[in-house]
Amino acid sequence: VSTQSTWGREKQRRRLEQQQKGQDHQEDEAPTKTKSSSKPIPIASHISLLKGFNKALTVLQTCPKAGHILVASEDRTCRVFARSSITDRPPRSVQLPLELTVKCAAFDPEGQTLVLVYDEQRLAEVFRVKGSGASTLTVTSVTKVKLGNDRIVAAFVPSPKFFILCDTAGRLLVYSASTGDPVDDHHAKIGRANCWVASEDGRLLALASFTSDVKVWELETQKGTPDFKALADAFILAGHRDSVFATCFRPDGKRMATASKDKSWRLFNVDVQYRLKEDPRLLLTVPFLDGWTVDRMAISPGGKYLAMADSALCSIAFYEIREVAQSTWQINASAQLAGFLHRPHKSGALMAMAWLGPLAFTTVSDSAEEKAAKVFAIPEALQPAV
């Protein structure tokens, strides 16, 4: 009896140990499973890598109408990809014969003129772009422009006839695109620039600075021609309580978004008669995600999605914006709460992001490990986290 009792106790002890091990195993798995299920559903699927570079990327620029995607690198390589070829393996591109590192770049609205600004020698170069597909695309140098001592932070090409460079002092420098001759020098008088953006049609130009306002100008051309005439004051976006770090236009130019150091972003209706002194109308004020500092923004074609980035986190949050009634706009509540965080790059700071179309999105990072631009497909509808 004693032997049987000892054997029974040993059998019971082993059974309890096995059960305990099973419980421990389940407890080890439970947090992982819970953590995984608590993450937002991925809303962007990676579809392409725009490669061909040996060092970190410096510039990303797109022309949605023509379908051009320009990517430049610290290795002094600059490639223009065609949107129609981004799903090719590998995507085809045209490489520009450069000997300098590109600081910033811009296409005109039709994608026929390209301006590159080089950082080392205070130089800008104008190119003519022909063709659309990667197999027919040609990029030819037209003229070079020697620049002053102030650092250029942005370039715009509102028309094939002229281009505008913006420096850190808040000046708008206008040059002829055919000869490179100076045309106009306009001082913004709003302080150091945080962000310069232009509407997709090249008609409006906006400056976000260390003030709490965003100033917008209209680019006027000579009657019946695309030649530059003047930069005229259009309107001011006001209401933030601190410096504005980022701003953007909706592709049709009728909406603008702003992001501020006051930890909020705003959406404005700028489809107003500003020449008759009608002010833009505030549609939304939304707080940032916890711990975020938004310094880049982009509204999708059609205005359905707003992407905003914290470059230090190398992460992007997507929001769905919808009109629930006439003149009544609101943020998708589930999108706001879930955040729809998406980290397209593993390291470094997010240098740039841009929409290629209603459902395509591309990003670049300055990390030495990230030597390619990444293209993502965005689904038709955002889904809440589970």
Side-chain angles (χ1 to χ4, degrees), residues 104 115-117 124 145 147 152-156 163-167 171-175:
C104 53
V115 173
L116 301 182
V117 177
V145 182
L147 306 176
I152 300 299
V153 294
F156 304 103
F163 65 95
I164 300 174
L165 303 181
C166 309
D167 64 19
R171 291 189 304 161
L172 304 171
L173 310 172
V174 186
Y175 296 89

mmCIF file of all heavy atoms in Angstrom, residues 104 115-117 124 145 147 152-156 163-167 171-175:
data_model
loop_
_atom_site.group_PDB
_atom_site.id
_atom_site.type_symbol
_atom_site.label_atom_id
_atom_site.label_comp_id
_atom_site.label_asym_id
_atom_site.label_seq_id
_atom_site.Cartn_x
_atom_site.Cartn_y
_atom_site.Cartn_z
ATOM 1 N N CYS A 104 17.018 69.960 -53.299
ATOM 2 C CA CYS A 104 15.569 69.956 -53.473
ATOM 3 C C CYS A 104 15.246 69.942 -54.960
ATOM 4 O O CYS A 104 16.098 70.237 -55.800
ATOM 5 C CB CYS A 104 14.900 71.138 -52.764
ATOM 6 S SG CYS A 104 15.562 72.750 -53.169
ATOM 7 N N VAL A 115 13.289 71.343 -62.019
ATOM 8 C CA VAL A 115 14.353 72.176 -61.443
ATOM 9 C C VAL A 115 15.004 71.418 -60.296
ATOM 10 O O VAL A 115 14.315 70.913 -59.407
ATOM 11 C CB VAL A 115 13.803 73.529 -60.944
ATOM 12 C CG1 VAL A 115 14.888 74.299 -60.193
ATOM 13 C CG2 VAL A 115 13.297 74.362 -62.116
ATOM 14 N N LEU A 116 16.330 71.326 -60.337
ATOM 15 C CA LEU A 116 17.108 70.717 -59.258
ATOM 16 C C LEU A 116 17.978 71.782 -58.613
ATOM 17 O O LEU A 116 18.547 72.627 -59.311
ATOM 18 C CB LEU A 116 18.003 69.597 -59.784
ATOM 19 C CG LEU A 116 17.330 68.419 -60.501
ATOM 20 C CD1 LEU A 116 18.376 67.398 -60.909
ATOM 21 C CD2 LEU A 116 16.264 67.781 -59.620
ATOM 22 N N VAL A 117 18.072 71.747 -57.292
ATOM 23 C CA VAL A 117 18.951 72.654 -56.554
ATOM 24 C C VAL A 117 20.029 71.816 -55.898
ATOM 25 O O VAL A 117 19.734 70.849 -55.179
ATOM 26 C CB VAL A 117 18.173 73.460 -55.496
ATOM 27 C CG1 VAL A 117 19.131 74.346 -54.700
ATOM 28 C CG2 VAL A 117 17.094 74.305 -56.153
ATOM 29 N N ALA A 124 21.517 75.922 -59.241
ATOM 30 C CA ALA A 124 20.260 75.312 -59.659
ATOM 31 C C ALA A 124 20.365 74.966 -61.142
ATOM 32 O O ALA A 124 21.076 75.648 -61.894
ATOM 33 C CB ALA A 124 19.083 76.255 -59.417
ATOM 34 N N VAL A 145 21.831 77.990 -63.004
ATOM 35 C CA VAL A 145 21.678 79.290 -62.353
ATOM 36 C C VAL A 145 22.559 79.326 -61.115
ATOM 37 O O VAL A 145 22.441 78.468 -60.230
ATOM 38 C CB VAL A 145 20.209 79.550 -61.946
ATOM 39 C CG1 VAL A 145 20.071 80.930 -61.313
ATOM 40 C CG2 VAL A 145 19.279 79.400 -63.138
ATOM 41 N N LEU A 147 23.460 80.693 -57.559
ATOM 42 C CA LEU A 147 22.627 81.232 -56.492
ATOM 43 C C LEU A 147 23.446 82.032 -55.488
ATOM 44 O O LEU A 147 24.673 82.002 -55.504
ATOM 45 C CB LEU A 147 21.905 80.086 -55.774
ATOM 46 C CG LEU A 147 21.091 79.154 -56.676
ATOM 47 C CD1 LEU A 147 20.514 78.009 -55.866
ATOM 48 C CD2 LEU A 147 19.977 79.910 -57.397
ATOM 49 N N ILE A 152 18.910 77.490 -49.871
ATOM 50 C CA ILE A 152 17.608 77.244 -50.492
ATOM 51 C C ILE A 152 16.951 76.051 -49.812
ATOM 52 O O ILE A 152 17.573 75.005 -49.623
ATOM 53 C CB ILE A 152 17.762 76.982 -52.006
ATOM 54 C CG1 ILE A 152 18.412 78.180 -52.702
ATOM 55 C CG2 ILE A 152 16.401 76.668 -52.626
ATOM 56 C CD1 ILE A 152 17.635 79.469 -52.591
ATOM 57 N N VAL A 153 15.681 76.214 -49.434
ATOM 58 C CA VAL A 153 14.973 75.153 -48.723
ATOM 59 C C VAL A 153 13.833 74.553 -49.543
ATOM 60 O O VAL A 153 13.322 73.488 -49.195
ATOM 61 C CB VAL A 153 14.427 75.662 -47.378
ATOM 62 C CG1 VAL A 153 15.569 76.007 -46.444
ATOM 63 C CG2 VAL A 153 13.509 76.869 -47.564
ATOM 64 N N ALA A 154 13.435 75.205 -50.618
ATOM 65 C CA ALA A 154 12.337 74.678 -51.431
ATOM 66 C C ALA A 154 12.393 75.276 -52.822
ATOM 67 O O ALA A 154 12.923 76.370 -53.033
ATOM 68 C CB ALA A 154 10.984 74.978 -50.781
ATOM 69 N N ALA A 155 11.838 74.529 -53.781
ATOM 70 C CA ALA A 155 11.766 74.990 -55.172
ATOM 71 C C ALA A 155 10.373 74.700 -55.705
ATOM 72 O O ALA A 155 9.761 73.681 -55.362
ATOM 73 C CB ALA A 155 12.824 74.290 -56.019
ATOM 74 N N PHE A 156 9.877 75.591 -56.560
ATOM 75 C CA PHE A 156 8.568 75.427 -57.179
ATOM 76 C C PHE A 156 8.649 75.843 -58.640
ATOM 77 O O PHE A 156 9.382 76.767 -58.990
ATOM 78 C CB PHE A 156 7.500 76.253 -56.463
ATOM 79 C CG PHE A 156 7.402 75.960 -54.996
ATOM 80 C CD1 PHE A 156 7.950 76.819 -54.066
ATOM 81 C CD2 PHE A 156 6.786 74.806 -54.549
ATOM 82 C CE1 PHE A 156 7.893 76.542 -52.713
ATOM 83 C CE2 PHE A 156 6.720 74.517 -53.198
ATOM 84 C CZ PHE A 156 7.274 75.385 -52.281
ATOM 85 N N PHE A 163 10.491 79.675 -62.489
ATOM 86 C CA PHE A 163 10.499 78.870 -61.281
ATOM 87 C C PHE A 163 10.838 79.757 -60.090
ATOM 88 O O PHE A 163 11.371 80.860 -60.242
ATOM 89 C CB PHE A 163 11.472 77.686 -61.384
ATOM 90 C CG PHE A 163 12.923 78.052 -61.503
ATOM 91 C CD1 PHE A 163 13.752 78.112 -60.388
ATOM 92 C CD2 PHE A 163 13.482 78.309 -62.753
ATOM 93 C CE1 PHE A 163 15.095 78.441 -60.506
ATOM 94 C CE2 PHE A 163 14.828 78.631 -62.888
ATOM 95 C CZ PHE A 163 15.637 78.702 -61.759
ATOM 96 N N ILE A 164 10.499 79.277 -58.885
ATOM 97 C CA ILE A 164 10.668 80.046 -57.656
ATOM 98 C C ILE A 164 11.486 79.235 -56.660
ATOM 99 O O ILE A 164 11.215 78.045 -56.437
ATOM 100 C CB ILE A 164 9.303 80.403 -57.042
ATOM 101 C CG1 ILE A 164 8.480 81.244 -58.026
ATOM 102 C CG2 ILE A 164 9.474 81.155 -55.726
ATOM 103 C CD1 ILE A 164 7.065 81.518 -57.545
ATOM 104 N N LEU A 165 12.477 79.878 -56.071
ATOM 105 C CA LEU A 165 13.277 79.272 -55.016
ATOM 106 C C LEU A 165 13.012 80.008 -53.711
ATOM 107 O O LEU A 165 12.903 81.237 -53.710
ATOM 108 C CB LEU A 165 14.767 79.331 -55.355
ATOM 109 C CG LEU A 165 15.189 78.682 -56.677
ATOM 110 C CD1 LEU A 165 16.700 78.809 -56.868
ATOM 111 C CD2 LEU A 165 14.766 77.219 -56.723
ATOM 112 N N CYS A 166 12.915 79.280 -52.609
ATOM 113 C CA CYS A 166 12.650 79.868 -51.301
ATOM 114 C C CYS A 166 13.855 79.619 -50.408
ATOM 115 O O CYS A 166 14.347 78.490 -50.322
ATOM 116 C CB CYS A 166 11.413 79.238 -50.683
ATOM 117 S SG CYS A 166 9.986 79.220 -51.784
ATOM 118 N N ASP A 167 14.351 80.670 -49.740
ATOM 119 C CA ASP A 167 15.525 80.510 -48.884
ATOM 120 C C ASP A 167 15.145 80.618 -47.406
ATOM 121 O O ASP A 167 13.997 80.901 -47.054
ATOM 122 C CB ASP A 167 16.627 81.504 -49.258
ATOM 123 C CG ASP A 167 16.231 82.959 -49.036
ATOM 124 O OD1 ASP A 167 15.272 83.213 -48.281
ATOM 125 O OD2 ASP A 167 16.876 83.852 -49.617
ATOM 126 N N ARG A 171 12.775 84.626 -48.365
ATOM 127 C CA ARG A 171 12.670 85.317 -49.652
ATOM 128 C C ARG A 171 12.179 84.360 -50.728
ATOM 129 O O ARG A 171 12.498 83.175 -50.732
ATOM 130 C CB ARG A 171 14.022 85.895 -50.063
ATOM 131 C CG ARG A 171 14.498 87.060 -49.215
ATOM 132 C CD ARG A 171 15.729 87.706 -49.841
ATOM 133 N NE ARG A 171 16.785 86.731 -50.043
ATOM 134 C CZ ARG A 171 17.811 86.900 -50.882
ATOM 135 N NH1 ARG A 171 17.887 87.999 -51.612
ATOM 136 N NH2 ARG A 171 18.744 85.983 -50.989
ATOM 137 N N LEU A 172 11.399 84.895 -51.667
ATOM 138 C CA LEU A 172 10.926 84.169 -52.841
ATOM 139 C C LEU A 172 11.685 84.710 -54.044
ATOM 140 O O LEU A 172 11.484 85.854 -54.445
ATOM 141 C CB LEU A 172 9.419 84.363 -53.015
ATOM 142 C CG LEU A 172 8.545 83.966 -51.809
ATOM 143 C CD1 LEU A 172 7.118 84.418 -52.029
ATOM 144 C CD2 LEU A 172 8.599 82.479 -51.597
ATOM 145 N N LEU A 173 12.551 83.878 -54.604
ATOM 146 C CA LEU A 173 13.409 84.293 -55.710
ATOM 147 C C LEU A 173 12.868 83.696 -56.996
ATOM 148 O O LEU A 173 12.797 82.467 -57.152
ATOM 149 C CB LEU A 173 14.844 83.825 -55.466
ATOM 150 C CG LEU A 173 15.420 84.174 -54.074
ATOM 151 C CD1 LEU A 173 16.764 83.493 -53.869
ATOM 152 C CD2 LEU A 173 15.545 85.685 -53.924
ATOM 153 N N VAL A 174 12.475 84.561 -57.947
ATOM 154 C CA VAL A 174 11.855 84.119 -59.190
ATOM 155 C C VAL A 174 12.880 84.207 -60.327
ATOM 156 O O VAL A 174 13.557 85.231 -60.485
ATOM 157 C CB VAL A 174 10.620 84.981 -59.531
ATOM 158 C CG1 VAL A 174 9.904 84.414 -60.752
ATOM 159 C CG2 VAL A 174 9.665 85.043 -58.337
ATOM 160 N N TYR A 175 12.987 83.117 -61.117
ATOM 161 C CA TYR A 175 13.940 83.066 -62.218
ATOM 162 C C TYR A 175 13.244 82.614 -63.501
ATOM 163 O O TYR A 175 12.246 81.877 -63.460
ATOM 164 C CB TYR A 175 15.071 82.067 -61.925
ATOM 165 C CG TYR A 175 15.944 82.433 -60.759
ATOM 166 C CD1 TYR A 175 15.631 82.012 -59.470
ATOM 167 C CD2 TYR A 175 17.110 83.167 -60.939
ATOM 168 C CE1 TYR A 175 16.437 82.329 -58.387
ATOM 169 C CE2 TYR A 175 17.928 83.494 -59.864
ATOM 170 C CZ TYR A 175 17.586 83.075 -58.593
ATOM 171 O OH TYR A 175 18.391 83.382 -57.533
#
